[in-house]
Amino acid sequence: MPGTKRGYKWVDRAMRELDPETDYEQIIRLMGDYQLNATVLDLVVSAGTIHNIVHPRGSETLAHTGKIVSSVSTAR
């Protein structure tokens, strides 16, 4: 995975052993703690929460233009 920190091979094994239907929270926590660098994590959090932190009209405008992440407009 691009941006993955080195020395944490156990994380991949641990995530494969988890059930995505029930253990999704632990999987996301492991990815955030051990696999994403700070820049990637900031981008994911900012783009993923745009509809929660910006006034609805502002978030719709940003989503429509695709300036944040093009998939944000299809998430709704």
Side-chain angles (χ1 to χ4, degrees):
M1 173 178 205
T4 300
K5 297 176 183 176
R6 294 184 174 273
Y8 294 104
K9 291 182 181 180
W10 64 270
V11 175
D12 291 331
R13 287 191 301 272
M15 287 193 306
R16 279 194 301 271
E17 294 173 2
L18 296 171
D19 178 11
E21 294 293 324
T22 57
D23 300 323
Y24 57 89
E25 186 176 330
Q26 182 65 18
I27 292 170
I28 297 299
R29 183 177 296 121
L30 287 170
M31 287 178 64
D33 288 346
Y34 298 104
Q35 290 188 329
L36 298 178
N37 63 36
T39 304
V40 173
L41 187 58
D42 288 344
L43 176 63
V44 169
V45 169
S46 296
T49 59
I50 190 85
H51 291 287
N52 296 325
I53 60 175
V54 177
H55 187 276
R57 286 190 179 167
S59 64
E60 288 171 7
T61 301
L62 288 172
H64 178 71
T65 62
K67 290 186 177 181
I68 301 295
V69 174
S70 60
S71 63
V72 173
S73 62
T74 61
R76 287 187 120 200

